[in-house]
Amino acid sequence: MKSKVKTSEVSTDLQKLLHKEGNPLSIKKDTFLFNEGEPASRLFMVTSGKVQIGKLSPDGKELALRICHAGDIIGEVNLYSEEVKYILHAKVLEDGEVIVLDKAKLEESLLQEKELTIEFMKLMNNSYRRDQTRFRDLVLFGKKGALYSTLIRLSNSYGVKTNQDIYLDISLTNQQLANFCGTTRESVNRLLNELKRNSVISMDKGHITIHDLNFLKSEINCEDCPIVLCTIH
């Protein structure tokens, strides 16, 4: 059984430009690249490790939006805008390295490379749309829909097909799943147990296998969005 390998959306030419203009920085688990409210003067490209993008609710509850891997660019999308602040935070999940990019310097370089500018803006727009669809799911579908949506997105990001089933090649605790759903661990426990009783999923040592993806999709009136928008990374 082969794991699904995430390929970078960033072209080789754009990666070369970002490496040229940026500086490498080692990152350590449980630290933050940036926090909400800080001036958004830098962008980051992950070269190794994992970084989780999320947001804190007014009562301090963490909402996880996506997990970034090697090749992903993270930060605010507002190039050529002044006094922008981060509206999300970036928490390091796994030791690794990022390329740190000064936004003003990158803006100058992209002005000389029109094709790369268009590519970069498309990448940032896709990132923004992914976050917006996550917020939409959480607002429209409630706790159950948020979990079902998260499982669908995980299947697109980490799913490995085994016969008629989809094995999620990522280990998540129920608390981590709850963070992706904007709810409590107890609620996620109850919903997962319900799905197991109905043979929609099974679980083994933190890994989930989805047996009936169509059930999850039908329960939230899935619109079959493009895969690029329906992922966790």
Side-chain angles (χ1 to χ4, degrees), residues 132-163:
Q132 291 303 302
T133 56
R134 287 284 292 133
F135 284 125
R136 177 202 64 190
D137 292 351
L138 293 169
V139 171
L140 292 181
F141 302 131
K143 296 176 183 179
K144 178 184 288 188
L147 175 62
Y148 292 4
S149 169
T150 297
L151 291 173
I152 293 168
R153 290 171 183 274
L154 285 168
S155 75
N156 289 331
S157 300
Y158 301 101
V160 180
K161 289 188 177 180
T162 59
N163 298 321

Side-chain angles (χ1 to χ4, degrees), residues 118-132:
I118 293 171
E119 179 189 348
F120 188 87
M121 297 306 291
K122 286 181 177 179
L123 289 170
M124 293 294 95
N125 183 56
N126 283 341
S127 176
Y128 174 78
R129 291 175 66 194
R130 276 193 291 268
D131 290 342
Q132 291 303 302

Side-chain angles (χ1 to χ4, degrees), residues 7-8 37 40 66 113 122 124 133 153 186 193 198 230:
T7 57
S8 174
R66 50 192 165 93
E113 302 282 352
K122 286 181 177 179
M124 293 294 95
T133 56
R153 290 171 183 274
E186 291 75 16
N193 285 332
N198 294 324
C230 189

Side-chain angles (χ1 to χ4, degrees), residues 16 30 37 49 85 143 155 183:
K16 287 180 179 178
D30 294 329
K85 295 183 178 181
K143 296 176 183 179
S155 75
T183 187

Side-chain angles (χ1 to χ4, degrees), residues 209-225:
T209 297
I210 299 174
H211 304 296
D212 193 347
L213 184 64
N214 288 331
F215 172 83
L216 299 176
K217 289 184 174 183
S218 65
E219 285 293 296
I220 61 170
N221 297 315
C222 179
E223 299 175 355
D224 287 321
C225 297

Side-chain angles (χ1 to χ4, degrees), residues 1-232:
M1 179 173 59
K2 294 184 177 180
S3 300
K4 179 177 285 190
V5 178
K6 180 183 184 298
T7 57
S8 174
E9 297 176 342
V10 185
S11 70
T12 301
D13 287 341
L14 182 54
Q15 288 192 45
K16 287 180 179 178
L17 174 66
L18 298 178
H19 277 278
K20 176 183 176 182
E21 298 298 338
N23 296 302
L25 174 70
S26 296
I27 54 176
K28 298 296 182 182
K29 183 179 178 179
D30 294 329
T31 61
F32 287 81
L33 289 179
F34 53 82
N35 285 288
E36 299 166 47
E38 294 178 350
S41 59
R42 300 186 299 175
L43 294 167
F44 304 84
M45 183 174 73
V46 182
T47 54
S48 63
K50 296 179 183 178
V51 179
Q52 178 176 285
I53 305 301
K55 188 171 183 62
L56 290 178
S57 65
D59 61 359
K61 184 183 298 182
E62 183 176 11
L63 170 62
L65 293 174
R66 50 192 165 93
I67 299 174
C68 299
H69 302 253
D72 288 331
I73 300 172
I74 55 180
E76 292 301 323
V77 300
N78 305 75
L79 288 182
Y80 309 109
S81 300
E82 297 181 0
E83 299 183 2
V84 176
K85 295 183 178 181
Y86 294 114
I87 61 173
L88 305 171
H89 63 250
K91 181 180 180 180
V92 180
L93 297 182
E94 182 180 282
D95 291 357
E97 185 179 85
V98 296
I99 299 296
V100 184
L101 299 149
D102 179 79
K103 196 171 77 167
K105 183 179 178 181
L106 178 61
E107 288 170 350
E108 292 181 5
S109 298
L110 287 173
L111 285 174
Q112 310 303 317
E113 302 282 352
K114 293 183 179 180
E115 290 186 2
L116 295 184
T117 301
I118 293 171
E119 179 189 348
F120 188 87
M121 297 306 291
K122 286 181 177 179
L123 289 170
M124 293 294 95
N125 183 56
N126 283 341
S127 176
Y128 174 78
R129 291 175 66 194
R130 276 193 291 268
D131 290 342
Q132 291 303 302
T133 56
R134 287 284 292 133
F135 284 125
R136 177 202 64 190
D137 292 351
L138 293 169
V139 171
L140 292 181
F141 302 131
K143 296 176 183 179
K144 178 184 288 188
L147 175 62
Y148 292 4
S149 169
T150 297
L151 291 173
I152 293 168
R153 290 171 183 274
L154 285 168
S155 75
N156 289 331
S157 300
Y158 301 101
V160 180
K161 289 188 177 180
T162 59
N163 298 321
Q164 302 301 313
D165 302 329
I166 302 175
Y167 172 81
L168 302 186
D169 192 22
I170 182 174
S171 178
L172 294 173
T173 66
N174 287 5
Q175 183 59 61
Q176 289 173 314
L177 277 174
N179 290 344
F180 277 110
C181 300
T183 187
T184 63
R185 180 173 55 84
E186 291 75 16
S187 294
V188 165
N189 289 346
R190 177 176 54 79
L191 291 168
L192 288 174
N193 285 332
E194 181 180 322
L195 290 174
K196 286 190 288 185
R197 283 195 302 271
N198 294 324
S199 300
V200 178
I201 67 167
S202 59
M203 299 182 66
D204 182 32
K205 298 179 181 179
H207 287 274
I208 296 174
T209 297
I210 299 174
H211 304 296
D212 193 347
L213 184 64
N214 288 331
F215 172 83
L216 299 176
K217 289 184 174 183
S218 65
E219 285 293 296
I220 61 170
N221 297 315
C222 179
E223 299 175 355
D224 287 321
C225 297
I227 294 297
V228 69
L229 301 182
C230 189
T231 63
I232 285 295

